Amino acid sequence: MNIYRYPGNPIIEPKDIPPYLEDYEVIGVFNAGVMRYGDEILLLLRIAERPVHHDPKYSLSPFYDMANGKMGVVRLEKGMPGYDFSDARGIGTPDGSLLTSISYLRIARSKDGIHFKIDDRPALFPENRYEIYGIEDCRITQIDDTYYINYSAVSNLGITTCLASTKDFAYMQREGVIFQPDSKNIAIFPQKINGKYYALHRPSSSSFGKPSMWIAESPDLLCWGNHRYLMGCRDGCWDETRIGASCVPIKLEQGWLELYHGADRNNRYCLGAALLDIDQPWRVIARSTLPLMEPETAYEKDGFFGNVIFSCGALYEQGKVRIYYGAADTSMCYAEVDMAEIMRGMKECEGLSGK
Amino acid sequence: MNIYRYPGNPIIEPKDIPPYLEDYEVIGVFNAGVMRYGDEILLLLRIAERPVHHDPKYSLSPFYDMANGKMGVVRLEKGMPGYDFSDARGIGTPDGSLLTSISYLRIARSKDGIHFKIDDRPALFPENRYEIYGIEDCRITQIDDTYYINYSAVSNLGITTCLASTKDFAYMQREGVIFQPDSKNIAIFPQKINGKYYALHRPSSSSFGKPSMWIAESPDLLCWGNHRYLMGCRDGCWDETRIGASCVPIKLEQGWLELYHGADRNNRYCLGAALLDIDQPWRVIARSTLPLMEPETAYEKDGFFGNVIFSCGALYEQGKVRIYYGAADTSMCYAEVDMAEIMRGMKECEGLSGK
């Protein structure tokens, strides 16, 4: 695949971001939603911060403490029986997982799409029951003059998807939980189809099947139903263990182009593409055989959680797809690819999708 | 708790049901939805059938085979490495669970609510992608002249909740998947509140928290949103590991009375009650301290999956709650309790529910 990676990647790194929280450090800036707004390109960055600490015997888990409206920290001695400290991102406990960092969203602004100025304050910071472990991985969909931002809200109740809306990227209106636990990787289509809104989503089942892509419809963007299985994992492929929507679908003559992510048994995350029917987006027309992008460079292979390419937003301009993506759960990077190249890499699908 | 159990319990047993499938046997008739219709009480029974087989070396898993519209069977040798045969209800495989029986819904009719005549044919039998492992545990909500039946649809895509509607309990109209995987224990309120439909539901998270009760709202019964956490498990209590709605909420002057089920660490399922605010059903006013009903009798303690009382429907008539319930995942039973008795057993709640 003929992909252009910006030679100055990563374009934003943790060291570029002053922490928002006192006595915290930024360990990741990644998985940003993207939108062209006025004469600028905006990234809605996921920023992960963790409490600064010096005692390697302990693991710390930050959370938003609803009781007093401040941050709190759970301190756990490593090696405690019944606890799992093997994943850098979280701690397994007998009562469910804890996270080792807390994420929130912050805006970065750029004229050239490469050099970004980062807001001092969060655009969305945890503030309610569903967000106490953080706000992650947003996607931005423009419909008329409103920008809809959906994001993963994490708490001890599970991972829900919430909606916020804005007209100016200054005031954000929270619109509530739109997808129940566990939900991730929601991408709302940028227009109604046959009088209804549509969204790709990624539910997960505790005992049946692998995390797959589904599609749902809505009269109002708030209530969602007619959930349909869209496409699943492919045995032995780069997308064999879990898949989910990455970017907001792009409207083409041939159909809706969806950039999605897939992981294999080694948790290696790649980016691929699928083409959905223009009027019946629950039908998959074609799908990438090989990944569009796979972790190759040092900044994609090494990091807080290595071997990850994860995009939450791309722009389609002058025949090119401008991909913003998180690398290794650590930094933001930029790449370009011709739409024609993406189309050439896809193979027609047969089967049962969307039935 | 002063509960009257019908002395002739169980009122319906597997031996009362001729199998619908050839070379299958009925192993369970349980967890029925209930509705008064005309001069009869109808039960929409969950019937579980399994292939007759004589070789104890093998475990069989039936499924609806979409390719030819017939039943198929997966045959697995017990003790295969990587497979778990320890739960009578299912088989753990490296690719997810399989079930040892297939469930569907069949109507039973009675004038006195005790002696039932059972239809020869299913009312709802698996027929699509989401139902290949069966249809389970329905609840029936009457709204105006329509009866809405929601049920768990099980497949290798997960457990979704689907909706069907009927006006006559003869023709059933399928309305699609209304709650994504994994969803169970949906109870739709019997009227709009503040112009919206409401439903209790029970999502589950793979890594965070315990299965809890949530509430969602809808403009049309098909699309659901504004998901809110309603109430959770109580440490050290009978409902310490998982809870879910049992019956359709009953409207009282004091609020909405919800009979719900809870299980403890030993998978012992009991029935309890909660009272929800009449205008703001996302607020829990009070909740049973002790279970209303717990497995006590032989038919509740012993069976296909013992120590289970599980109700999917009750009628509130002349001050009495007439509870139909599945016992030990095997048979249908009947009990009565005064509403006043239920109310006396509840304690006022404080806290964060529904925020």
Side-chain angles (χ1 to χ4, degrees), chain A residues 124-195:
Chain A
L124 281 170
F125 192 83
E127 69 168 41
N128 64 41
R129 184 70 189 84
Y130 306 98
E131 303 174 350
I132 60 172
Y133 294 166
I135 291 175
E136 306 179 352
D137 298 358
C138 81
R139 279 81 171 175
I140 311 172
T141 299
Q142 180 179 4
I143 300 177
D144 303 325
D145 65 345
T146 304
Y147 302 91
Y148 293 94
I149 297 158
N150 65 258
Y151 57 88
S152 301
V154 189
S155 76
N156 56 349
L157 301 174
I159 305 167
T160 67
T161 293
C162 294
L163 189 69
S165 65
T166 185
K167 289 186 190 283
D168 56 9
F169 289 96
Y171 174 69
M172 303 272 180
Q173 171 73 40
R174 272 177 168 82
E175 309 279 5
V177 178
I178 56 170
F179 286 90
Q180 71 186 53
D182 273 349
S183 290
K184 279 184 169 184
N185 305 318
I186 274 68
I188 299 173
F189 285 68
Q191 63 174 67
K192 282 188 176 182
I193 301 165
N194 311 317

Side-chain angles (χ1 to χ4, degrees), chain A residues 41-325:
Chain A
I41 289 174
L42 303 191
L43 297 181
L44 202 40
L45 304 167
R46 170 179 172 189
I47 293 181
E49 299 195 7
R50 76 175 168 201
V52 176
H53 67 113
H54 306 286
D55 191 339
K57 277 207 312 241
Y58 292 90
S59 196
L60 304 183
S61 174
F63 65 97
Y64 174 73
D65 186 350
M66 294 256 300
N68 59 21
K70 292 182 184 167
M71 294 300 298
V73 174
V74 176
R75 190 164 168 268
L76 293 167
E77 191 170 350
K78 286 181 189 167
M80 279 169 67
Y83 289 71
D84 180 1
F85 297 90
S86 65
D87 187 326
R89 300 170 299 179
I91 305 160
T93 88
D95 289 325
S97 297
L98 295 171
L99 301 184
T100 54
S101 63
I102 189 157
S103 291
Y104 62 89
L105 305 183
R106 212 150 136 182
I107 296 176
R109 301 160 196 273
S110 172
K111 300 263 195 237
D112 65 3
I114 296 291
H115 302 90
F116 282 87
K117 187 171 179 309
I118 294 146
D119 283 5
D120 289 333
R121 296 179 57 82
L124 281 170
F125 192 83
E127 69 168 41
N128 64 41
R129 184 70 189 84
Y130 306 98
E131 303 174 350
I132 60 172
Y133 294 166
I135 291 175
E136 306 179 352
D137 298 358
C138 81
R139 279 81 171 175
I140 311 172
T141 299
Q142 180 179 4
I143 300 177
D144 303 325
D145 65 345
T146 304
Y147 302 91
Y148 293 94
I149 297 158
N150 65 258
Y151 57 88
S152 301
V154 189
S155 76
N156 56 349
L157 301 174
I159 305 167
T160 67
T161 293
C162 294
L163 189 69
S165 65
T166 185
K167 289 186 190 283
D168 56 9
F169 289 96
Y171 174 69
M172 303 272 180
Q173 171 73 40
R174 272 177 168 82
E175 309 279 5
V177 178
I178 56 170
F179 286 90
Q180 71 186 53
D182 273 349
S183 290
K184 279 184 169 184
N185 305 318
I186 274 68
I188 299 173
F189 285 68
Q191 63 174 67
K192 282 188 176 182
I193 301 165
N194 311 317
K196 287 170 185 164
Y197 296 107
Y198 285 86
L200 305 173
H201 65 117
R202 212 287 295 285
S204 56
S205 173
S206 52
S207 51
F208 296 94
K210 296 173 181 170
S212 305
M213 285 170 67
W214 289 57
I215 187 166
E217 59 185 52
S218 171
D220 57 8
L221 298 170
L222 301 174
C223 293
W224 294 88
N226 198 13
H227 301 278
R228 284 186 270 196
Y229 172 75
L230 180 70
M231 58 188 241
C233 299
R234 293 182 293 195
D235 286 342
C237 292
W238 57 276
D239 51 2
E240 65 180 347
T241 62
R242 53 180 58 226
I243 60 170
S246 269
C247 305
V248 170
I250 295 167
K251 193 177 186 181
L252 303 175
E253 262 184 38
Q254 302 95 316
W256 292 99
L257 191 281
E258 172 59 22
L259 297 181
Y260 75 95
H261 60 270
D264 67 11
R265 65 194 74 183
N266 299 313
N267 276 322
R268 186 171 181 265
Y269 279 79
C270 298
L271 190 68
L275 188 68
L276 312 179
D277 186 273
I278 196 78
D279 297 314
Q280 301 182 312
W282 54 90
R283 297 193 185 281
V284 183
I285 298 171
R287 188 165 166 186
S288 302
T289 316
L290 299 172
L292 270 184
M293 292 186 76
E294 52 192 323
E296 284 174 5
T297 64
Y299 53 83
E300 291 160 355
K301 287 166 115 167
D302 304 317
F304 183 66
F305 195 80
N307 275 317
V308 171
I309 285 180
F310 196 99
S311 177
C312 294
L315 300 172
Y316 178 46
E317 296 176 343
Q318 286 107 41
K320 277 192 198 313
V321 182
R322 307 179 64 177
I323 301 169
Y324 291 88
Y325 66 100

Side-chain angles (χ1 to χ4, degrees), chain B residues 66-77:
Chain B
M66 293 255 300
N68 59 21
K70 291 181 183 168
M71 294 300 299
V73 173
V74 177
R75 188 164 169 268
L76 293 166
E77 191 171 349

Side-chain angles (χ1 to χ4, degrees), chain A residues 1-46:
Chain A
M1 188 64 58
N2 197 3
I3 291 274
Y4 165 80
R5 281 173 170 84
Y6 176 64
N9 273 345
I11 55 169
I12 311 177
E13 293 180 90
K15 67 175 172 53
D16 303 327
I17 318 270
Y20 170 67
L21 296 166
E22 208 178 311
D23 295 327
Y24 278 63
E25 58 188 340
V26 173
I27 58 164
V29 46
F30 54 121
N31 301 2
V34 59
M35 182 53 59
R36 187 171 274 284
Y37 177 70
D39 63 348
E40 292 185 317
I41 289 174
L42 303 191
L43 297 181
L44 202 40
L45 304 167
R46 170 179 172 189

Side-chain angles (χ1 to χ4, degrees), chain B residues 126-137:
Chain B
E127 71 169 38
N128 64 42
R129 184 69 190 86
Y130 306 98
E131 303 174 348
I132 60 172
Y133 295 166
I135 290 176
E136 308 181 351
D137 298 358

Side-chain angles (χ1 to χ4, degrees), chain B residues 35 179 209 231 298 311 336:
Chain B
M35 183 53 61
F179 286 89
M231 56 189 242
S311 177
E336 285 179 2

